[in-house]
Amino acid sequence: MTTAGTILVVDDDAAVREALHSLLRSVGFAVELYGSVPEFVARGGLPDTPCCMVLDIRLPGMSGLDFQNELTRQKVAPPIIFITGHGDIPMSVRAMKAGAIEFLTKPFRDQDLLDAIHAGLEVDRKRREESRDLADLQTRYAALSGREQEVMAQVVTGLMNKQIAVNLGIAEITVKVHRGQVMRKMNAQSVVDLARMADRLGIERDPQLTRASVR
Amino acid sequence: MKAAELPHVVGAALPRYGVAIGCVGLALAFGYLLGPDVEIKLGPLLMIAAVVLTAWFSGLGPGLMAVILSTLAVEYFWTEPIYSFVIVRNELPLMISFILCGLVGLALSLQRRKQEQMSAENQATLERRVAERTVQLKISEERWRNLFETSSVGIALTEPGGKFLRANQALQSMLGYDEASLRLMSLSDLMAGEGVAGPQEPGGGLEVPLRSADGRIVWVSLSVSVIPASDRSPALASAVIADISARRSAIEDWRRGQAEVAKATRLTTMGVLAASIAHEVNQPLSGVVTNGQAADRWLRASPPDVAEARAALSRIVRDGNRAAEIIRSIRNILDPVGDEPKPLSVNKVIERLVPLVENELAAQSIGLTLDLAPDLPKIVGDAVQLQQLVLNLVLNAIDAMRGEHAADRRLIVRTRPGEGGVVVSIEDRGSGLPDIDHDRLFEPFYTTKAEGMGVGLAICRTVVESHGGRIWAESPASGGARFAFTLPAVDQGGTLAAEKESKTS
């Protein structure tokens, strides 16, 4: 029943840390313990595997909420589960708004924590998968020739081959050939599929182009 | 013009010259009636008298006229040849002598007359001055009387023993007695209790409660000055008595309010403490719960991991004991010490407080430095009050660093021997003190906090001063603020050293 992943525990209280260590190991997680944010930063930071952070709100040096903001700002935030001695509503709202998975008040039910951790790991796994997919896509896009990229941009805008030919000043048959190459190299099943890829790659559809061609 | 003046001049001069003519005429008549046959020539003697009289009554001009007239009369009536103005040679010395006598009489008489006139003038001047002075005195007296009678402050004139002699209207209406009844009383009869020293300012005399005619207590400010005895009057005392009931009741209201605010502040402090305590105890408790859950999972695993389960169980015992220890130490702190102040170690008071604020410090990510000097003298005081004092200053310091993104979030609590006892300082690296006279910080209702009431530091000062110390604020060079206070040391006997000093001196 174990989910592969590393759990990062940041809590200044040794008793809480040790208990969490034992609990999380008993269900098969790899666990790393830190007493404070600076200690976490000093000892290597985020691992390369799916992970989830169990973070105390009240910490010496830098509070858990501030640390969450900092990680979000650097775009490296792992899923975070906050634990706190006495959390108030504004605090939990702030944490959840900033993207926390869960906000647990000590002492908490072990199952609540484990559920949150599973959810967090799943989120992280997905995030990692997605970022891996995006990297693939970017490699494929980079493999297109300049002309093919131009054709792709116009295809995903929804233009007919004829219009593209006029726009680019080439023969319609040439457009057809480029289009076939784009579909093959991008491994796209349909124009809709290609359009989705263009979205993920952030290729902009030029509305002016559309209007010019219609005329 | 001359014609117009002439009758007036003549009118004024006529009686005076008439006197000359009259006197000489009278003398002539007497002399003549007594007869020229008398051996001694009476006529000339009488003529001299006439000259003197004329000069006396009418001055120089008529006097000279009298000399001339009498000379003519003597020449005519009493020298040979009689009844003729012819002057015979042998009568010449007599005539000259007569004229000289007349002139001397005239001069002497004029001299006397002048003196008389001068002294009469002096007399008149004197009388005029006396009259003027009398008027001035009357005005002055009236002015003082008005001041006395219409003053809004009570004024009384008493014997040195305090017996009333005079009392003005304000005093009569203040006390409800008329002046006659007051004259039967003395100041001490009216006093309804011990006086207290008034504020340290000009005019802030003694404050005493007086009982008015209807039995009401009137608090007054009383200042008495003694008027020393002079050769004309015995010693007196003047008392200025101002009704300060309104002021006193305002002060009493404020004191009552302050006590209530102090109570509210204590409750707030207790609220902060309660949150802190809850967190302190909650940490080991959540350790206990999680360890219990972990042990359960280790035992339910297949195969069960007994070693891990036992490790978790021993942590449960440890954390449970820790929770109990925290509760015990808190009970120590909150235990009422009783009313009797006793010798205390300031360091212990501070050390016992630390667990209560540790959590708040951690929450604000503030580092605490305890710089406590060993071998401090003991002080006498109320432990609970002193804990509140330090706690208040520490919570203030934490507040000052709230939201401050200073790299060095530090709270330094320091004790040092000094100033005849112990000096305690609480220093922060917060926003610093406002740019005003630092003494004002301790005034009631002065605040820089949006949600503050401005009573915290005022209460701190009350606590410090009731322990015989003083409190002040300063800006350390390193930034932030430093609040420091002193507490006098006790000697072996347990009395305040400072107190003893003042007794022996």
Side-chain angles (χ1 to χ4, degrees):
Chain A
M1 69 156 275
T2 63
T3 311
T6 307
I7 314 304
L8 312 164
V9 175
V10 188
D11 195 310
D12 63 325
D13 193 281
V16 173
R17 245 177 6 240
E18 287 170 10
L20 282 173
H21 190 216
S22 179
L23 177 71
L24 296 176
R25 278 188 302 111
S26 75
V27 291
F29 286 120
V31 183
E32 290 178 19
L33 302 178
Y34 304 96
S36 69
V37 171
E39 194 187 328
F40 171 81
V41 173
R43 277 190 12 213
L46 293 166
D48 214 16
T49 52
C51 65
C52 181
M53 186 175 275
V54 177
L55 187 57
D56 191 7
I57 295 258
R58 301 195 151 193
L59 288 170
M62 184 187 238
S63 85
L65 287 172
D66 289 345
F67 186 45
Q68 181 192 26
N69 286 345
E70 184 64 21
L71 289 172
T72 308
R73 206 174 52 76
Q74 293 178 8
K75 295 194 163 76
V76 292
I80 293 173
I81 296 148
F82 280 110
I83 51 174
T84 177
H86 62 287
D88 50 18
I89 288 169
M91 204 188 270
S92 63
V93 166
R94 190 184 147 195
M96 298 306 281
K97 261 192 179 167
I101 297 291
E102 187 59 275
F103 190 93
L104 298 173
T105 304
K106 296 183 210 175
F108 38 78
R109 245 166 47 95
D110 54 350
Q111 200 54 54
D112 291 347
L113 177 68
L114 294 176
D115 288 350
I117 285 176
H118 282 126
L121 285 176
E122 187 59 24
V123 167
D124 198 41
R125 201 178 49 74
K126 269 198 183 140
R127 190 178 59 83
R128 278 166 197 277
E129 230 166 56
E130 270 172 26
S131 75
R132 198 163 46 236
D133 286 355
L134 184 64
D136 274 1
L137 208 57
Q138 278 164 339
T139 318
R140 276 181 271 160
Y141 184 69
L144 298 181
S145 71
R147 183 61 90 186
E148 282 164 357
Q149 290 185 354
E150 282 175 356
V151 170
M152 177 174 166
Q154 304 218 0
V155 168
V156 298
T157 311
L159 298 185
M160 314 283 283
N161 288 350
K162 203 186 279 177
Q163 293 169 307
I164 298 172
V166 173
N167 283 345
L168 297 178
I170 53 175
E172 195 180 336
I173 183 81
T174 318
V175 174
K176 255 187 187 165
V177 172
H178 283 313
R179 188 172 177 155
Q181 284 289 357
V182 169
M183 295 297 278
R184 193 180 55 76
K185 282 188 181 171
M186 291 305 288
N187 199 13
Q189 306 301 315
S190 63
V191 175
V192 175
D193 200 13
L194 190 68
R196 202 177 294 132
M197 287 178 187
D199 277 351
R200 289 189 65 191
L201 284 166
I203 296 169
E204 281 191 24
R205 298 174 195 189
D206 191 344
Q208 239 168 9
L209 200 62
T210 320
R211 247 178 286 145
S213 310
V214 168
R215 199 173 347 113
Chain B
M1 183 176 154
K2 258 188 180 167
E5 248 177 35
L6 202 62
H8 172 72
V9 175
V10 172
L14 214 58
R16 292 174 62 211
Y17 287 92
V19 169
I21 294 165
C23 284
V24 173
L26 269 173
L28 181 62
F30 266 105
Y32 196 72
L33 283 176
L34 288 172
D37 308 327
V38 178
E39 192 58 26
I40 300 162
K41 285 185 173 167
L42 259 179
L45 286 177
L46 287 169
M47 286 299 160
I48 298 296
V51 167
V52 169
L53 273 175
T54 306
W56 178 259
F57 284 117
S58 300
L60 180 60
L64 278 173
M65 189 182 164
V67 169
I68 292 165
L69 286 178
S70 60
T71 306
L72 290 176
V74 167
E75 166 53 33
Y76 190 78
F77 289 104
W78 281 286
T79 56
E80 296 292 339
I82 293 173
Y83 307 126
S84 152
F85 286 113
V86 176
I87 299 167
V88 201
R89 196 180 175 86
N90 60 349
E91 291 283 339
L92 208 57
L94 183 78
M95 283 310 294
I96 289 169
S97 305
F98 176 80
I99 291 169
L100 281 176
C101 282
L103 287 175
V104 167
L106 173 72
L108 284 173
S109 181
L110 282 175
Q111 176 76 17
R112 274 301 297 156
R113 178 185 149 86
K114 207 173 169 189
Q115 277 175 1
E116 278 295 320
Q117 272 176 347
M118 264 169 65
S119 84
E121 258 169 42
N122 284 346
Q123 182 78 18
T125 314
L126 206 61
E127 272 167 14
R128 201 182 63 237
R129 282 199 186 148
V130 166
E132 278 171 9
R133 192 84 188 95
T134 309
V135 170
Q136 278 176 5
L137 280 174
K138 242 181 205 159
I139 291 171
S140 167
E141 210 261 47
E142 206 164 299
R143 201 181 289 145
W144 285 110
R145 180 187 301 280
N146 281 341
L147 185 65
F148 178 79
E149 283 303 344
T150 63
S151 167
S152 63
V153 183
I155 305 171
L157 213 57
T158 70
E159 289 174 3
K163 193 165 180 300
F164 284 103
L165 296 170
R166 293 289 318 271
N168 72 349
Q169 195 55 50
L171 186 61
Q172 294 170 33
S173 53
M174 188 191 302
L175 297 174
Y177 290 108
D178 60 12
E179 199 172 11
S181 359
L182 278 174
R183 283 211 189 104
L184 301 173
M185 289 186 253
S186 84
L187 205 49
S188 52
D189 296 337
L190 291 170
M191 283 198 196
E194 285 292 301
V196 291
Q200 296 294 316
E201 60 195 45
L206 197 66
E207 297 187 353
V208 289
L210 297 183
R211 192 176 299 282
S212 67
D214 54 10
R216 208 161 36 87
I217 298 289
V218 183
W219 274 92
V220 299
S221 154
L222 173 67
S223 47
V224 178
S225 45
V226 172
I227 305 165
S230 69
D231 40 359
R232 275 190 308 272
S233 65
L236 290 174
S238 78
V240 176
I241 300 168
D243 188 345
I244 53 162
S245 298
R247 196 178 84 198
R248 275 196 72 96
S249 75
I251 289 173
E252 259 156 36
D253 282 352
W254 181 78
R255 287 217 180 103
R256 223 181 347 262
Q258 199 196 23
E260 271 161 27
V261 166
K263 207 164 108 193
T265 309
R266 188 148 54 226
L267 289 179
T268 315
T269 311
M270 295 310 280
V272 172
L273 282 182
S276 195
I277 291 163
H279 187 89
E280 287 304 315
V281 178
N282 199 42
Q283 288 294 80
L285 278 186
S286 81
V288 167
V289 171
T290 305
N291 275 314
Q293 291 161 341
D296 183 49
R297 283 178 187 273
W298 287 120
L299 290 176
R300 277 195 284 132
S302 49
D305 193 331
V306 176
E308 283 283 5
R310 288 189 58 184
L313 288 173
S314 71
R315 284 194 299 272
I316 290 174
V317 173
R318 183 200 63 187
D319 292 349
N321 282 333
R322 185 180 140 207
E325 179 60 38
I326 289 166
I327 287 170
R328 200 164 25 248
S329 72
I330 287 164
R331 192 181 292 141
N332 278 347
I333 289 170
L334 298 180
D335 256 353
V337 184
D339 296 332
E340 197 68 20
K342 55 182 186 182
L344 293 168
S345 153
V346 174
N347 285 353
K348 267 207 189 111
V349 169
I350 292 169
E351 278 162 0
R352 279 183 173 182
L353 269 177
V354 171
L356 297 184
V357 290
E358 252 173 353
N359 172 54
E360 190 65 28
L361 289 170
Q364 303 294 329
S365 307
I366 295 166
L368 172 68
T369 304
L370 278 185
D371 179 9
L372 308 179
D375 306 326
L376 284 179
K378 294 223 163 184
I379 56 104
V380 157
D382 180 331
V384 172
Q385 277 190 12
L386 291 179
Q387 268 158 359
Q388 271 183 10
L389 164 67
V390 177
L391 190 65
N392 219 332
L393 292 176
V394 166
L395 292 179
N396 267 355
I398 291 174
D399 272 350
M401 288 189 272
R402 201 182 293 276
E404 198 84 356
H405 287 286
D408 185 20
R409 306 185 97 189
R410 183 145 295 281
L411 175 71
I412 303 162
V413 180
R414 192 173 281 134
T415 57
R416 289 282 180 272
E419 302 218 5
V422 181
V423 182
V424 182
S425 69
I426 286 107
E427 190 176 324
D428 65 54
R429 295 279 185 274
S431 38
L433 298 170
D435 193 17
I436 54 150
D437 182 1
H438 292 165
D439 281 348
R440 279 198 57 203
L441 294 170
F442 300 98
E443 283 174 11
F445 306 119
Y446 178 83
T447 184
T448 56
K449 296 184 198 166
E451 73 281 16
M453 277 194 293
V455 292
L457 286 174
I459 291 168
C460 285
R461 184 172 66 178
T462 313
V463 170
V464 171
E465 286 175 354
S466 74
H467 281 81
R470 64 188 187 91
I471 186 166
W472 68 95
E474 53 198 17
S475 304
S478 45
R482 183 192 295 137
F483 286 86
F485 61 89
T486 63
L487 295 168
V490 286
D491 60 14
Q492 296 299 321
T495 52
L496 287 170
E499 208 170 80
K500 202 174 181 190
E501 231 167 63
S502 69
K503 269 179 193 164
T504 49
S505 66

